[in-house]
Amino acid sequence: METNTELFNLEAEKEILRALYLNPELFYKVDIKASDFYRGEHVCLFETMLRIYADGLEIDLVSLKDYDPSCDILWVQRLFSEAITSANINYHTRIVKENSFQRACLITVKGLYEKVTDSDFLPVAQEKILNLSEFGTCKEPTTEEIFSGINADIAKVKETNVYGIQTGFEKLNEACVGLWPGHLWMIGGYTSYGKSTLLSQLVADI
């Protein structure tokens, strides 16, 4: 089990902090939390900046020192005196979150080490868990691409006349070409409009 891999990117963490210092409104626009940072100073600075912003105050060296007396102002000043940009914060956030996810996976696998007697299990478990991080790096498809793929699948099913599991409703079968392993369908509707009844009937028919 590999434990020496550096699963962090300090430059990406710095870029996020610089961007938040320049434009605190980004706190609302990026999905990042203190625990995603690797370096302790970065965790502390992020939490302090977030508290200052939540209190509606301006984030500057004075407020940082007031909120965290232990804060190394000289280090913070050097950090923020470098090139500041907010243009790529989403890119850097993805990097930091992926590294955070992989560190959490390794910690989880290490926690299983003493509980698992099969030594061959751990490397496999680690590989499978880390493969999940690929979902975070995949390019998100556009709505047009999603519906194009769905329409292509439906056309292929109707052409070959090979449907999935039948739902018991002819129109529903036509719409979703049957139920297939790996597909996820969401049933939505107003309260008392028949969602539970529909699902109960689907389960009974299937």
Side-chain angles (χ1 to χ4, degrees), residues 145-159:
E145 291 172 339
I146 292 174
F147 280 106
S148 295
I150 293 174
N151 289 332
D153 289 342
I154 292 176
K156 181 178 180 180
V157 167
K158 291 183 176 180
E159 180 181 335

Side-chain angles (χ1 to χ4, degrees), residues 1 109 118-131:
M1 179 171 54
V109 173
D118 183 1
S119 60
D120 294 332
F121 166 80
L122 291 174
V124 174
Q126 176 178 320
E127 181 181 359
K128 288 183 179 295
I129 293 175
L130 290 180
N131 284 341

